[in-house]
Amino acid sequence: MDEKIADAVRRVALGFRIEEVTEEYGVEDGELKLVKRKETRKDVPPDLKAVKILIEDTDYSALSDDELEREKIRLLKRLEEETNGTREQKS
């Protein structure tokens, strides 16, 4: 899987926050002026289909028990780091 696509799928699998800015303009005294500005934040929850894609894209059948255990620890550590990073962004 292309690395950019894999990163996007990981982001969707873990959930993320979107920040949007909406601006409305109007004409006052012949000039275009900002009338209204709205900033919103939306939390996008984790997507289980994206998690399934990540799992299916990895061939774990060729790994030994020790390799599987190391991979499990690595993935849990990464999940914890990314979850903590997501929590810090939301604050």
Side-chain angles (χ1 to χ4, degrees), residues 15-32:
F16 57 97
R17 174 177 277 186
I18 299 173
E19 296 185 13
E20 296 177 341
V21 177
T22 305
E23 297 178 336
E24 293 180 20
Y25 291 88
V27 178
E28 292 181 16
D29 301 325
E31 293 185 25
L32 193 61

Side-chain angles (χ1 to χ4, degrees), residues 5-90:
I5 294 172
D7 288 342
V9 173
R10 272 188 221 97
R11 183 174 181 230
V12 172
L14 294 170
F16 57 97
R17 174 177 277 186
I18 299 173
E19 296 185 13
E20 296 177 341
V21 177
T22 305
E23 297 178 336
E24 293 180 20
Y25 291 88
V27 178
E28 292 181 16
D29 301 325
E31 293 185 25
L32 193 61
K33 293 189 178 184
L34 180 64
V35 176
K36 185 178 179 182
R37 178 181 168 93
K38 182 179 179 183
E39 295 181 18
T40 57
R41 292 185 187 105
K42 297 179 183 179
D43 291 322
V44 177
D47 186 304
L48 292 179
K49 289 180 184 178
V51 172
K52 184 177 177 182
I53 289 170
L54 288 177
I55 291 170
E56 288 176 348
D57 189 51
T58 306
D59 182 16
Y60 293 108
S61 63
L63 299 179
S64 69
D65 288 346
D66 290 336
E67 290 170 325
L68 282 171
E69 186 63 29
R70 284 193 299 273
E71 180 67 2
K72 174 185 161 187
I73 292 167
R74 184 189 72 78
L75 290 171
L76 288 171
K77 182 179 178 183
R78 183 169 182 180
L79 180 62
E80 182 179 348
E81 289 169 354
E82 291 188 19
T83 301
N84 288 339
T86 303
R87 287 184 188 147
E88 289 172 6
Q89 288 177 357
K90 291 180 181 180

